[in-house]
Amino acid sequence: MTDRPSARPWRLVALVSVLAAGGAVAGCGDGGGSTTGAGGRPSGEALYLTACASCHGDSGEGRPGLGDPIAPDLTPVQARSVIRNGMGAMPGFPDLPDDQVEAIVDYITGDLHAG
């Protein structure tokens, strides 16, 4: 048995707090920078690197024991569902603002696997 379930509430609170504030999580993703893109809109890449890459990897490759790879054929509908409701060991983020969810969905179903 791992300590993963007991860490989930803390991670959820931290993620939602950071994303709502538009800040960065120390030690996650690229380690800093703004999550806001052009025109004040959320940057899907910056949000992903800040909030998702610590478990799913910078390129969506996954991290053993932390997060599964992000499937390159994931549809926007599937991505929204997983972000909002969770799947497997990943908790859902139902309180994440819609514009941030859409920015992350656009990034993980588009540019994440394009490079």
Side-chain angles (χ1 to χ4, degrees), residues 31-109:
S34 174
T35 57
T36 304
R41 294 162 134 170
S43 163
E45 180 178 20
L47 288 165
Y48 176 85
L49 291 172
T50 299
C52 310
S54 60
C55 291
H56 294 289
D58 290 350
S59 301
E61 71 278 10
R63 299 200 186 214
L66 292 176
D68 292 331
I70 296 177
D73 59 348
L74 191 67
T75 69
V77 170
Q78 292 167 326
R80 264 184 227 98
S81 178
V82 171
I83 292 168
R84 289 286 185 211
N85 305 309
M87 178 181 235
M90 180 181 155
F93 300 95
D95 298 326
L96 198 59
D98 290 340
D99 61 339
Q100 293 181 2
V101 171
E102 290 308 310
I104 294 169
V105 167
D106 288 347
Y107 179 68
I108 65 175
T109 59

